[in-house]
Amino acid sequence: MNKVLVLHGPNLNLLGSRQPEIYGHETLADIDNALRQQALLAGWEIACRQSNHEGELIDAIHAARLDGTAAIIINPAAYTHTSVAILDALNAFEGRVIEVHLSNVHKREAFRHHSYVSLRADGVIAGLGSRGYALALEAVIEAATG
Ligand code: DQA
């Protein structure tokens, strides 16, 4: 069965209550549940993980290299702008990588305009809220099934 990993970076566990004017009112559980439903309908296996720790995100990417994961959808959150280590881990992963941001990072502070992860990502979606994850999953499924 085709398999996708959804990875959420630091502070995204607070979605729903964290700056809802920027990140929306949906919780992370709402987003993950919708993605699980979408994956199920397409016959895909999905794992959703959130961590506030860079090393745990890297370990999850390493595990995905070995367990047949076809694609990673990642919102690295603040690590987007700082983490060469997450970029290196993604560079060692051979499947598709889609980077998602809830907010339009390009419309915000200058430090959010640069993404290390974009150097690896096959696609980037920003500014569409939780819809961005659904579109990323749709793109992953479409790319694999043609
Ligand atoms: C974010 C944007 C990042 O700049 C920020 O640090 C986040 C969330 C987004 O989804 O819009 O935590 O990745």
Side-chain angles (χ1 to χ4, degrees), residues 64-130:
R65 294 177 72 224
L66 305 175
D67 70 2
T69 295
I72 297 176
I73 295 170
I74 182 166
N75 182 347
Y79 288 140
T80 307
H81 320 297
T82 63
S83 183
V84 176
I86 289 177
L87 169 64
D88 284 350
L90 289 169
N91 278 333
F93 173 75
E94 287 179 359
R96 278 181 88 71
V97 175
I98 311 290
E99 177 182 349
V100 173
H101 299 284
L102 294 150
S103 65
N104 181 358
V105 283
H106 301 289
K107 211 173 154 185
R108 301 180 63 193
E109 303 98 318
F111 68 83
R112 295 185 203 274
H113 297 176
H114 177 260
S115 165
Y116 284 102
V117 170
S118 291
L119 292 168
R120 167 62 180 87
D122 298 295
V124 181
I125 299 172
L128 300 181
S130 62

Short mmCIF file of all heavy atoms in Angstrom, two decimals, residues 64-130:
data_model
loop_
_atom_site.label_atom_id
_atom_site.label_comp_id
_atom_site.label_asym_id
_atom_site.label_seq_id
_atom_site.Cartn_x
_atom_site.Cartn_y
_atom_site.Cartn_z
N ALA A 64 11.29 7.01 7.78
CA ALA A 64 10.53 6.99 6.52
C ALA A 64 11.38 6.47 5.36
O ALA A 64 10.86 5.94 4.38
CB ALA A 64 10.00 8.39 6.21
N ARG A 65 12.70 6.63 5.46
CA ARG A 65 13.60 6.12 4.40
C ARG A 65 13.54 4.61 4.34
O ARG A 65 13.81 4.01 3.29
CB ARG A 65 15.07 6.49 4.71
CG ARG A 65 15.40 7.93 4.70
CD ARG A 65 16.85 8.12 5.09
NE ARG A 65 17.75 7.69 4.03
CZ ARG A 65 18.84 6.97 4.23
NH1 ARG A 65 19.18 6.57 5.42
NH2 ARG A 65 19.60 6.62 3.20
N LEU A 66 13.22 3.98 5.46
CA LEU A 66 13.37 2.53 5.58
C LEU A 66 12.04 1.77 5.56
O LEU A 66 12.04 0.56 5.43
CB LEU A 66 14.10 2.19 6.89
CG LEU A 66 15.46 2.87 7.08
CD1 LEU A 66 16.03 2.56 8.45
CD2 LEU A 66 16.43 2.43 5.98
N ASP A 67 10.93 2.48 5.73
CA ASP A 67 9.66 1.74 5.89
C ASP A 67 8.75 1.85 4.68
O ASP A 67 7.56 1.60 4.77
CB ASP A 67 8.94 2.20 7.17
CG ASP A 67 8.38 3.62 7.05
OD1 ASP A 67 8.52 4.25 5.98
OD2 ASP A 67 7.78 4.10 8.03
N GLY A 68 9.30 2.25 3.55
CA GLY A 68 8.52 2.25 2.31
C GLY A 68 7.65 3.48 2.12
O GLY A 68 6.77 3.49 1.26
N THR A 69 7.88 4.51 2.91
CA THR A 69 7.11 5.75 2.75
C THR A 69 7.41 6.38 1.38
O THR A 69 8.57 6.57 1.03
CB THR A 69 7.44 6.74 3.89
OG1 THR A 69 7.00 6.16 5.12
CG2 THR A 69 6.78 8.08 3.68
N ALA A 70 6.35 6.68 0.63
CA ALA A 70 6.52 7.21 -0.72
C ALA A 70 6.69 8.73 -0.73
O ALA A 70 7.27 9.28 -1.67
CB ALA A 70 5.30 6.83 -1.57
N ALA A 71 6.15 9.39 0.29
CA ALA A 71 6.18 10.86 0.28
C ALA A 71 6.09 11.39 1.70
O ALA A 71 5.49 10.77 2.58
CB ALA A 71 5.01 11.39 -0.54
N ILE A 72 6.68 12.57 1.88
CA ILE A 72 6.57 13.28 3.16
C ILE A 72 5.95 14.64 2.90
O ILE A 72 6.41 15.39 2.02
CB ILE A 72 7.96 13.47 3.82
CG1 ILE A 72 8.58 12.11 4.16
CG2 ILE A 72 7.86 14.35 5.06
CD1 ILE A 72 10.00 12.20 4.73
N ILE A 73 4.89 14.93 3.63
CA ILE A 73 4.30 16.27 3.65
C ILE A 73 4.76 16.90 4.95
O ILE A 73 4.50 16.36 6.03
CB ILE A 73 2.77 16.20 3.57
CG1 ILE A 73 2.33 15.60 2.22
CG2 ILE A 73 2.14 17.58 3.79
CD1 ILE A 73 0.85 15.26 2.13
N ILE A 74 5.48 18.00 4.86
CA ILE A 74 6.08 18.56 6.08
C ILE A 74 5.80 20.05 6.23
O ILE A 74 5.98 20.82 5.29
CB ILE A 74 7.61 18.29 6.12
CG1 ILE A 74 8.24 18.82 7.42
CG2 ILE A 74 8.34 18.83 4.89
CD1 ILE A 74 9.65 18.30 7.70
N ASN A 75 5.31 20.40 7.41
CA ASN A 75 5.30 21.79 7.83
C ASN A 75 6.35 21.90 8.92
O ASN A 75 6.09 21.57 10.09
CB ASN A 75 3.93 22.22 8.36
CG ASN A 75 3.91 23.69 8.73
OD1 ASN A 75 4.96 24.34 8.83
ND2 ASN A 75 2.72 24.23 8.96
N PRO A 76 7.56 22.33 8.57
CA PRO A 76 8.63 22.36 9.57
C PRO A 76 8.50 23.51 10.56
O PRO A 76 9.33 23.66 11.45
CB PRO A 76 9.89 22.54 8.71
CG PRO A 76 9.45 22.49 7.27
CD PRO A 76 8.00 22.80 7.25
N ALA A 77 7.46 24.34 10.39
CA ALA A 77 7.22 25.50 11.27
C ALA A 77 8.49 26.34 11.35
O ALA A 77 9.14 26.57 10.33
CB ALA A 77 6.68 25.04 12.62
N ALA A 78 8.88 26.77 12.55
CA ALA A 78 10.04 27.68 12.65
C ALA A 78 11.34 27.05 12.16
O ALA A 78 12.26 27.76 11.73
CB ALA A 78 10.19 28.16 14.09
N TYR A 79 11.42 25.70 12.21
CA TYR A 79 12.64 25.04 11.71
C TYR A 79 12.82 25.23 10.20
O TYR A 79 13.93 25.03 9.69
CB TYR A 79 12.62 23.55 12.05
CG TYR A 79 12.83 23.24 13.50
CD1 TYR A 79 12.10 22.24 14.13
CD2 TYR A 79 13.77 23.94 14.26
CE1 TYR A 79 12.28 21.94 15.47
CE2 TYR A 79 13.96 23.65 15.61
CZ TYR A 79 13.22 22.66 16.20
OH TYR A 79 13.41 22.36 17.54
N THR A 80 11.76 25.60 9.52
CA THR A 80 11.85 25.92 8.09
C THR A 80 13.01 26.88 7.84
O THR A 80 13.76 26.73 6.87
CB THR A 80 10.57 26.68 7.65
OG1 THR A 80 9.45 25.91 8.02
CG2 THR A 80 10.57 26.98 6.17
N HIS A 81 13.09 27.87 8.72
CA HIS A 81 13.97 29.01 8.50
C HIS A 81 15.35 28.84 9.13
O HIS A 81 16.20 29.71 8.99
CB HIS A 81 13.31 30.28 9.06
CG HIS A 81 11.83 30.34 8.79
ND1 HIS A 81 11.33 30.41 7.52
CD2 HIS A 81 10.74 30.30 9.62
CE1 HIS A 81 9.99 30.42 7.58
NE2 HIS A 81 9.62 30.35 8.84
N THR A 82 15.55 27.72 9.85
CA THR A 82 16.81 27.57 10.60
C THR A 82 17.51 26.23 10.38
O THR A 82 18.71 26.15 10.63
CB THR A 82 16.55 27.67 12.12
OG1 THR A 82 15.70 26.59 12.52
CG2 THR A 82 15.93 29.01 12.49
N SER A 83 16.79 25.20 9.94
CA SER A 83 17.33 23.86 10.11
C SER A 83 17.99 23.26 8.88
O SER A 83 17.33 22.67 8.02
CB SER A 83 16.25 22.90 10.62
OG SER A 83 16.82 21.63 10.84
N VAL A 84 19.31 23.36 8.86
CA VAL A 84 20.09 22.64 7.84
C VAL A 84 19.98 21.14 8.12
O VAL A 84 20.00 20.33 7.18
CB VAL A 84 21.56 23.10 7.88
CG1 VAL A 84 22.41 22.32 6.91
CG2 VAL A 84 21.66 24.59 7.57
N ALA A 85 19.84 20.76 9.39
CA ALA A 85 19.77 19.33 9.75
C ALA A 85 18.51 18.67 9.17
O ALA A 85 18.57 17.53 8.68
CB ALA A 85 19.79 19.18 11.27
N ILE A 86 17.38 19.38 9.18
CA ILE A 86 16.16 18.81 8.58
C ILE A 86 16.32 18.75 7.06
O ILE A 86 15.94 17.77 6.42
CB ILE A 86 14.91 19.60 9.03
CG1 ILE A 86 14.65 19.31 10.51
CG2 ILE A 86 13.69 19.23 8.18
CD1 ILE A 86 13.49 20.07 11.12
N LEU A 87 16.93 19.77 6.48
CA LEU A 87 17.21 19.73 5.03
C LEU A 87 18.08 18.52 4.70
O LEU A 87 17.78 17.78 3.74
CB LEU A 87 17.92 21.03 4.60
CG LEU A 87 18.50 21.00 3.18
CD1 LEU A 87 17.39 20.85 2.13
CD2 LEU A 87 19.33 22.26 2.91
N ASP A 88 19.13 18.29 5.47
CA ASP A 88 20.02 17.16 5.20
C ASP A 88 19.27 15.83 5.30
O ASP A 88 19.47 14.93 4.48
CB ASP A 88 21.20 17.15 6.18
CG ASP A 88 22.26 18.20 5.84
OD1 ASP A 88 22.18 18.81 4.75
OD2 ASP A 88 23.16 18.40 6.66
N ALA A 89 18.42 15.71 6.31
CA ALA A 89 17.64 14.48 6.47
C ALA A 89 16.72 14.27 5.27
O ALA A 89 16.61 13.16 4.73
CB ALA A 89 16.83 14.53 7.77
N LEU A 90 16.07 15.34 4.83
CA LEU A 90 15.16 15.23 3.67
C LEU A 90 15.95 14.91 2.41
O LEU A 90 15.46 14.19 1.53
CB LEU A 90 14.35 16.52 3.50
CG LEU A 90 13.28 16.76 4.57
CD1 LEU A 90 12.72 18.18 4.45
CD2 LEU A 90 12.15 15.72 4.46
N ASN A 91 17.17 15.42 2.31
CA ASN A 91 18.01 15.11 1.15
C ASN A 91 18.36 13.63 1.10
O ASN A 91 18.66 13.10 0.03
CB ASN A 91 19.28 15.95 1.15
CG ASN A 91 19.04 17.34 0.58
OD1 ASN A 91 18.15 17.54 -0.24
ND2 ASN A 91 19.83 18.31 1.01
N ALA A 92 18.34 12.97 2.26
CA ALA A 92 18.65 11.54 2.31
C ALA A 92 17.40 10.67 2.08
O ALA A 92 17.48 9.45 2.05
CB ALA A 92 19.26 11.19 3.66
N PHE A 93 16.25 11.31 1.94
CA PHE A 93 14.98 10.61 1.68
C PHE A 93 14.70 10.66 0.18
O PHE A 93 14.79 11.73 -0.43
CB PHE A 93 13.85 11.29 2.47
CG PHE A 93 12.48 10.77 2.16
CD1 PHE A 93 12.06 9.54 2.65
CD2 PHE A 93 11.60 11.50 1.36
CE1 PHE A 93 10.80 9.05 2.34
CE2 PHE A 93 10.33 11.02 1.06
CZ PHE A 93 9.94 9.79 1.56
N GLU A 94 14.37 9.51 -0.40
CA GLU A 94 14.29 9.47 -1.87
C GLU A 94 12.91 9.74 -2.45
O GLU A 94 12.78 9.91 -3.65
CB GLU A 94 14.83 8.14 -2.37
CG GLU A 94 16.34 8.09 -2.25
CD GLU A 94 16.96 6.79 -2.71
OE1 GLU A 94 16.20 5.88 -3.11
OE2 GLU A 94 18.20 6.69 -2.64
N GLY A 95 11.88 9.77 -1.59
CA GLY A 95 10.52 9.97 -2.12
C GLY A 95 10.20 11.44 -2.35
O GLY A 95 11.09 12.31 -2.33
N ARG A 96 8.92 11.70 -2.58
CA ARG A 96 8.50 13.09 -2.81
C ARG A 96 8.41 13.85 -1.49
O ARG A 96 8.05 13.27 -0.46
CB ARG A 96 7.12 13.12 -3.48
CG ARG A 96 7.18 12.92 -4.97
CD ARG A 96 5.80 13.00 -5.58
NE ARG A 96 5.41 14.36 -5.94
CZ ARG A 96 5.93 15.05 -6.95
NH1 ARG A 96 6.88 14.53 -7.68
NH2 ARG A 96 5.50 16.26 -7.22
N VAL A 97 8.70 15.13 -1.56
CA VAL A 97 8.59 15.99 -0.37
C VAL A 97 7.76 17.22 -0.74
O VAL A 97 8.07 17.92 -1.71
CB VAL A 97 9.98 16.45 0.12
CG1 VAL A 97 9.85 17.45 1.27
CG2 VAL A 97 10.83 15.26 0.56
N ILE A 98 6.71 17.45 0.02
CA ILE A 98 5.92 18.67 -0.18
C ILE A 98 5.96 19.48 1.12
O ILE A 98 5.68 18.95 2.21
CB ILE A 98 4.43 18.37 -0.52
CG1 ILE A 98 4.29 17.32 -1.65
CG2 ILE A 98 3.69 19.66 -0.88
CD1 ILE A 98 4.68 17.76 -3.02
N GLU A 99 6.33 20.74 0.99
CA GLU A 99 6.42 21.66 2.14
C GLU A 99 5.12 22.46 2.22
O GLU A 99 4.67 23.01 1.21
CB GLU A 99 7.63 22.59 1.90
CG GLU A 99 7.82 23.65 2.96
CD GLU A 99 9.01 24.57 2.60
OE1 GLU A 99 9.79 24.26 1.67
OE2 GLU A 99 9.13 25.63 3.25
N VAL A 100 4.56 22.50 3.40
CA VAL A 100 3.29 23.22 3.59
C VAL A 100 3.43 24.26 4.71
O VAL A 100 4.04 23.99 5.74
CB VAL A 100 2.15 22.22 3.97
CG1 VAL A 100 0.87 22.96 4.35
CG2 VAL A 100 1.87 21.26 2.83
N HIS A 101 2.89 25.43 4.47
CA HIS A 101 2.76 26.44 5.52
C HIS A 101 1.31 26.93 5.53
O HIS A 101 0.76 27.24 4.47
CB HIS A 101 3.70 27.62 5.28
CG HIS A 101 5.12 27.19 5.27
ND1 HIS A 101 5.81 26.90 6.43
CD2 HIS A 101 5.98 26.95 4.25
CE1 HIS A 101 7.02 26.50 6.12
NE2 HIS A 101 7.17 26.51 4.81
N LEU A 102 0.76 27.04 6.71
CA LEU A 102 -0.61 27.53 6.84
C LEU A 102 -0.69 28.98 6.41
O LEU A 102 -1.62 29.38 5.69
CB LEU A 102 -1.07 27.39 8.30
CG LEU A 102 -1.20 25.95 8.80
CD1 LEU A 102 -0.93 25.88 10.29
CD2 LEU A 102 -2.56 25.41 8.45
N SER A 103 0.27 29.77 6.86
CA SER A 103 0.28 31.20 6.54
C SER A 103 1.13 31.44 5.29
O SER A 103 1.95 30.60 4.91
CB SER A 103 0.84 32.00 7.72
OG SER A 103 2.21 31.67 7.93
N ASN A 104 0.93 32.61 4.70
CA ASN A 104 1.79 33.00 3.58
C ASN A 104 3.06 33.63 4.15
O ASN A 104 3.10 34.82 4.46
CB ASN A 104 1.08 33.98 2.66
CG ASN A 104 1.96 34.37 1.48
OD1 ASN A 104 3.11 33.93 1.40
ND2 ASN A 104 1.45 35.19 0.59
N VAL A 105 4.07 32.78 4.28
CA VAL A 105 5.31 33.22 4.93
C VAL A 105 5.96 34.40 4.20
O VAL A 105 6.67 35.20 4.81
CB VAL A 105 6.32 32.04 5.05
CG1 VAL A 105 5.93 31.13 6.18
CG2 VAL A 105 6.45 31.26 3.76
N HIS A 106 5.67 34.54 2.92
CA HIS A 106 6.28 35.63 2.12
C HIS A 106 5.65 36.99 2.39
O HIS A 106 6.19 38.02 2.01
CB HIS A 106 6.22 35.27 0.63
CG HIS A 106 6.96 34.00 0.37
ND1 HIS A 106 8.33 33.91 0.43
CD2 HIS A 106 6.51 32.75 0.14
CE1 HIS A 106 8.69 32.66 0.21
NE2 HIS A 106 7.61 31.94 0.04
N LYS A 107 4.49 36.95 3.04
CA LYS A 107 3.78 38.19 3.38
C LYS A 107 4.13 38.64 4.79
O LYS A 107 3.64 39.65 5.27
CB LYS A 107 2.28 37.87 3.32
CG LYS A 107 1.38 38.99 2.90
CD LYS A 107 -0.01 38.40 2.75
CE LYS A 107 -1.06 39.44 2.95
NZ LYS A 107 -2.40 38.85 2.93
N ARG A 108 4.99 37.86 5.45
CA ARG A 108 5.27 38.11 6.87
C ARG A 108 6.71 38.64 7.05
O ARG A 108 7.30 39.14 6.11
CB ARG A 108 5.01 36.82 7.66
CG ARG A 108 3.55 36.35 7.51
CD ARG A 108 3.28 35.09 8.28
NE ARG A 108 3.45 35.31 9.72
CZ ARG A 108 3.52 34.30 10.60
NH1 ARG A 108 3.40 33.04 10.18
NH2 ARG A 108 3.68 34.56 11.89
N GLU A 109 7.25 38.51 8.25
CA GLU A 109 8.59 39.05 8.54
C GLU A 109 9.63 38.48 7.57
O GLU A 109 9.53 37.32 7.15
CB GLU A 109 9.02 38.70 9.97
CG GLU A 109 8.08 39.17 11.06
CD GLU A 109 7.14 38.06 11.50
OE1 GLU A 109 6.61 37.31 10.65
OE2 GLU A 109 6.92 37.97 12.73
N ALA A 110 10.67 39.28 7.31
CA ALA A 110 11.70 38.88 6.34
C ALA A 110 12.36 37.55 6.71
O ALA A 110 12.69 36.76 5.82
CB ALA A 110 12.74 39.98 6.22
N PHE A 111 12.52 37.27 8.02
CA PHE A 111 13.20 36.02 8.39
C PHE A 111 12.40 34.78 8.01
O PHE A 111 12.94 33.68 7.94
CB PHE A 111 13.58 36.00 9.88
CG PHE A 111 12.41 35.92 10.84
CD1 PHE A 111 11.83 34.70 11.14
CD2 PHE A 111 11.90 37.06 11.44
CE1 PHE A 111 10.75 34.61 12.03
CE2 PHE A 111 10.84 36.99 12.32
CZ PHE A 111 10.25 35.77 12.62
N ARG A 112 11.10 34.97 7.72
CA ARG A 112 10.28 33.82 7.30
C ARG A 112 10.33 33.61 5.78
O ARG A 112 9.73 32.68 5.26
CB ARG A 112 8.83 34.01 7.74
CG ARG A 112 8.65 34.02 9.23
CD ARG A 112 7.17 34.09 9.61
NE ARG A 112 7.01 34.63 10.95
CZ ARG A 112 7.07 33.92 12.07
NH1 ARG A 112 7.25 32.61 12.03
NH2 ARG A 112 6.93 34.50 13.25
N HIS A 113 11.00 34.49 5.06
CA HIS A 113 11.01 34.39 3.60
C HIS A 113 11.96 33.32 3.09
O HIS A 113 11.81 32.86 1.97
CB HIS A 113 11.37 35.74 2.96
CG HIS A 113 10.39 36.82 3.27
ND1 HIS A 113 10.56 38.12 2.88
CD2 HIS A 113 9.22 36.79 3.97
CE1 HIS A 113 9.54 38.84 3.30
NE2 HIS A 113 8.72 38.06 3.98
N HIS A 114 12.93 32.97 3.93
CA HIS A 114 13.87 31.94 3.49
C HIS A 114 13.52 30.58 4.09
O HIS A 114 13.27 30.48 5.29
CB HIS A 114 15.32 32.29 3.88
CG HIS A 114 16.27 31.21 3.48
ND1 HIS A 114 16.74 30.27 4.38
CD2 HIS A 114 16.79 30.88 2.28
CE1 HIS A 114 17.53 29.43 3.73
NE2 HIS A 114 17.57 29.77 2.47
N SER A 115 13.54 29.56 3.24
CA SER A 115 13.29 28.20 3.71
C SER A 115 14.42 27.28 3.29
O SER A 115 14.68 27.13 2.09
CB SER A 115 11.97 27.68 3.12
OG SER A 115 11.90 26.27 3.28
N TYR A 116 15.08 26.65 4.26
CA TYR A 116 16.07 25.61 3.91
C TYR A 116 15.38 24.43 3.25
O TYR A 116 15.91 23.83 2.31
CB TYR A 116 16.81 25.15 5.17
CG TYR A 116 17.85 26.15 5.63
CD1 TYR A 116 17.60 27.00 6.70
CD2 TYR A 116 19.06 26.24 4.97
CE1 TYR A 116 18.56 27.92 7.12
CE2 TYR A 116 20.02 27.17 5.38
CZ TYR A 116 19.76 28.00 6.45
OH TYR A 116 20.70 28.91 6.84
N VAL A 117 14.19 24.09 3.75
CA VAL A 117 13.47 22.90 3.25
C VAL A 117 13.07 23.06 1.78
O VAL A 117 13.02 22.08 1.04
CB VAL A 117 12.26 22.64 4.18
CG1 VAL A 117 11.32 21.60 3.61
CG2 VAL A 117 12.76 22.21 5.56
N SER A 118 12.85 24.29 1.35
CA SER A 118 12.47 24.51 -0.06
C SER A 118 13.57 24.10 -1.03
O SER A 118 13.29 23.84 -2.20
CB SER A 118 12.13 25.98 -0.31
OG SER A 118 10.94 26.32 0.35
N LEU A 119 14.81 24.02 -0.53
CA LEU A 119 15.91 23.57 -1.40
C LEU A 119 15.72 22.11 -1.81
O LEU A 119 16.31 21.66 -2.78
CB LEU A 119 17.26 23.74 -0.69
CG LEU A 119 17.70 25.18 -0.47
CD1 LEU A 119 18.88 25.24 0.49
CD2 LEU A 119 18.11 25.81 -1.80
N ARG A 120 14.91 21.37 -1.02
CA ARG A 120 14.67 19.95 -1.29
C ARG A 120 13.25 19.68 -1.78
O ARG A 120 13.01 18.72 -2.51
CB ARG A 120 14.93 19.14 0.00
CG ARG A 120 14.43 17.70 -0.01
CD ARG A 120 15.10 16.86 -1.09
NE ARG A 120 14.61 15.48 -1.08
CZ ARG A 120 13.53 15.06 -1.75
NH1 ARG A 120 12.80 15.91 -2.46
NH2 ARG A 120 13.18 13.78 -1.69
N ALA A 121 12.31 20.52 -1.37
CA ALA A 121 10.90 20.22 -1.63
C ALA A 121 10.59 20.14 -3.12
O ALA A 121 11.10 20.92 -3.92
CB ALA A 121 10.03 21.29 -0.98
N ASP A 122 9.75 19.16 -3.48
CA ASP A 122 9.28 19.07 -4.87
C ASP A 122 8.17 20.07 -5.10
O ASP A 122 7.95 20.51 -6.23
CB ASP A 122 8.76 17.64 -5.12
CG ASP A 122 9.88 16.63 -4.94
OD1 ASP A 122 10.83 16.67 -5.72
OD2 ASP A 122 9.81 15.83 -3.99
N GLY A 123 7.46 20.44 -4.05
CA GLY A 123 6.41 21.44 -4.14
C GLY A 123 6.28 22.18 -2.84
O GLY A 123 6.63 21.64 -1.77
N VAL A 124 5.81 23.42 -2.90
CA VAL A 124 5.63 24.24 -1.70
C VAL A 124 4.25 24.89 -1.76
O VAL A 124 3.88 25.45 -2.80
CB VAL A 124 6.70 25.37 -1.63
CG1 VAL A 124 6.53 26.20 -0.36
CG2 VAL A 124 8.10 24.80 -1.71
N ILE A 125 3.51 24.79 -0.67
CA ILE A 125 2.19 25.43 -0.59
C ILE A 125 2.19 26.32 0.65
O ILE A 125 2.52 25.87 1.75
CB ILE A 125 1.06 24.38 -0.46
CG1 ILE A 125 1.05 23.45 -1.69
CG2 ILE A 125 -0.30 25.06 -0.29
CD1 ILE A 125 0.09 22.27 -1.57
N ALA A 126 1.84 27.58 0.48
CA ALA A 126 1.82 28.51 1.61
C ALA A 126 0.61 29.42 1.51
O ALA A 126 0.23 29.85 0.42
CB ALA A 126 3.09 29.35 1.63
N GLY A 127 0.01 29.70 2.67
CA GLY A 127 -1.00 30.74 2.73
C GLY A 127 -2.43 30.27 2.52
O GLY A 127 -3.35 31.08 2.52
N LEU A 128 -2.64 28.96 2.37
CA LEU A 128 -3.99 28.46 2.12
C LEU A 128 -4.60 27.79 3.33
O LEU A 128 -5.58 27.08 3.23
CB LEU A 128 -3.97 27.49 0.93
CG LEU A 128 -3.46 28.09 -0.40
CD1 LEU A 128 -3.52 27.04 -1.50
CD2 LEU A 128 -4.29 29.30 -0.79
N GLY A 129 -3.98 28.02 4.51
CA GLY A 129 -4.50 27.41 5.73
C GLY A 129 -4.44 25.89 5.64
O GLY A 129 -3.59 25.33 4.94
N SER A 130 -5.39 25.25 6.33
CA SER A 130 -5.37 23.78 6.39
C SER A 130 -5.61 23.15 5.02
O SER A 130 -5.24 22.01 4.78
CB SER A 130 -6.40 23.28 7.39
OG SER A 130 -7.69 23.67 6.95
#
